[in-house]
Amino acid sequence: DDGFAEKLSNWAESIRKTYLDGGCDEIISTRRLVHIVKAFGIFEDKLMAINLCIARFDEETKTSFLDLYTKHDETVDVDSEVEASDATIDFTPFQ
């Protein structure tokens, strides 16, 4: 997706500005953006990549970050992809 990197950087910039203004307690680091891009390369699903890489945040923060991303990328709809993002990935080694 050609515009994904630009949308991600705009999204992260919005979060960083909000953080500097005291509107939130967390930011999206450049390292996290790189992880999102790598996850997108693997799964080819924007929301899955973002969900996997913001999993460390509390539920309120994750929800607000995802909501803000949908404002930057009109091609994604969090509500229609809730089932996909709620799917768990089993990392248990084979026995």
Side-chain angles (χ1 to χ4, degrees):
D1 189 344
D2 294 335
F4 187 49
E6 183 176 348
K7 291 172 186 171
L8 278 178
S9 63
N10 291 338
W11 171 66
E13 185 64 27
S14 296
I15 292 171
R16 290 172 182 169
K17 286 180 183 178
T18 303
Y19 175 81
L20 292 174
D21 292 339
C24 66
D25 296 332
E26 303 286 350
I27 63 168
I28 297 294
S29 66
T30 303
R31 179 181 295 197
R32 192 165 308 277
L33 290 175
V34 170
H35 290 290
I36 292 170
V37 170
K38 287 181 180 182
F40 177 67
I42 294 168
F43 298 110
E44 297 179 0
D45 183 325
K46 294 176 189 177
L47 286 181
M48 179 182 277
I50 293 170
N51 275 321
L52 288 172
C53 295
I54 64 171
R56 69 167 290 278
F57 299 115
D58 61 72
E59 287 301 316
E60 183 179 331
T61 302
K62 288 191 287 190
T63 302
S64 64
F65 283 1
L66 281 174
D67 184 52
L68 183 59
Y69 182 76
T70 62
K71 305 288 190 261
H72 287 276
D73 188 350
E74 61 282 344
T75 65
V76 297
D77 181 19
V78 175
D79 295 330
S80 70
E81 299 193 26
V82 168
E83 295 83 23
S85 66
D86 286 342
T88 58
I89 299 173
D90 185 10
F91 292 105
T92 308
F94 293 103
Q95 298 198 18

